[in-house]
Amino acid sequence: DESITALQRESGHMKKLVEQLLFLARGDSGKTQLEFSQISIRDCMQEIYEESLLIDEEHVYRYRPEEDILVNADPQMLKQAVRILVDNAAKYTEKNDEILLSIGRNQEGHPYLQVQDTGMGMASADVEHMFERFYRSDDVRKMKGTGLGLSIAKWIVDKHGGHFEILSRTELGTRIRIIL
């Protein structure tokens, strides 16, 4: 039974890895087309918040909706990018700790979607490399993951003409903003 369980777990991990590699390969070859429309990032983040509450009962999720902000985006792709950030926040945050989701406008008036955790945080050297494919810092190599999630999120945000703002402090947590 233990062997079968281990094989199932590993085959699930391999399936996820192959799916992520295929996504990036299709994106690199120009085969992935985004479908842009006018969307509400408040509604987008509300949906992700509600899903997170259902999927992950081990963390406390908070969402502070602000004014409704409309952007031209591919709703499914944008949600996928934010879900990757939420999954990472949950992975690196202690059980029962808080993960905060929010939206707003930065000082320049650009809309953002933000995921903030109280997890282990990252060293500045790791922040510089966090979007590289297969990059995993020494601190997290023992944890489950492929090292491709943030590369996928970056590809999606780049295709939206956006960028990331990252603030992370070791043992204090991480705040990542997708600026559109």
Side-chain angles (χ1 to χ4, degrees):
D1 285 344
E2 286 179 38
S3 295
I4 290 171
T5 302
L7 284 170
Q8 285 176 327
R9 189 173 35 248
E10 189 58 30
S11 69
H13 180 72
M14 293 301 293
K15 179 182 179 219
K16 183 176 182 177
L17 175 64
V18 168
E19 287 171 351
Q20 289 176 327
L21 284 168
L22 285 172
F23 179 92
L24 288 168
R26 279 189 228 106
D28 290 347
S29 68
K31 292 182 180 175
T32 301
Q33 299 297 313
L34 278 66
E35 296 180 24
F36 287 86
S37 62
Q38 195 80 2
I39 67 163
S40 160
I41 62 171
R42 181 176 63 189
D43 293 348
C44 177
M45 191 63 95
Q46 180 71 37
E47 195 174 311
I48 293 165
Y49 168 70
E50 290 170 2
E51 289 170 0
S52 299
L53 290 174
L54 292 172
I55 294 169
D56 180 9
E57 296 177 349
E58 294 187 352
H59 296 93
V60 177
Y61 286 89
R62 304 243 187 265
Y63 173 48
R64 286 190 266 177
E66 297 287 328
E67 64 175 294
D68 198 10
I69 301 171
L70 299 177
V71 297
N72 193 33
D74 181 313
Q76 298 310 316
M77 290 289 185
L78 190 58
K79 285 179 198 173
Q80 184 175 351
V82 177
R83 281 187 191 112
I84 289 167
L85 300 181
V86 171
D87 287 347
N88 277 1
K91 190 184 305 182
Y92 301 116
T93 299
E94 293 289 325
K95 187 177 179 179
N96 298 320
D97 279 356
E98 185 175 272
I99 297 171
L100 177 64
L101 309 177
S102 59
I103 63 164
R105 292 188 183 275
N106 66 7
Q107 293 176 342
E108 292 82 33
H110 298 287
Y112 67 79
L113 299 99
Q114 177 174 292
V115 177
Q116 182 172 337
D117 65 53
T118 55
M120 62 190 296
M122 293 179 279
S124 58
D126 292 326
V127 171
E128 293 175 26
H129 300 285
M130 66 188 274
F131 296 109
E132 294 174 12
R133 293 177 187 182
F134 299 110
Y135 180 79
R136 306 214 49 219
S137 73
D138 291 336
D139 296 341
V140 300
R141 289 180 196 258
K142 62 188 173 289
M143 301 175 93
K144 201 166 119 180
T146 62
L148 291 172
L150 290 172
S151 296
I152 291 171
K154 182 171 183 351
W155 184 90
I156 293 168
V157 171
D158 287 350
K159 291 298 178 188
H160 281 82
H163 65 277
F164 290 90
E165 285 182 0
I166 298 112
L167 177 62
S168 189
R169 298 289 183 263
T170 319
E171 297 184 27
L172 291 177
T174 301
R175 182 188 81 194
I176 301 180
R177 282 185 177 176
I178 296 174
I179 309 293
L180 298 173

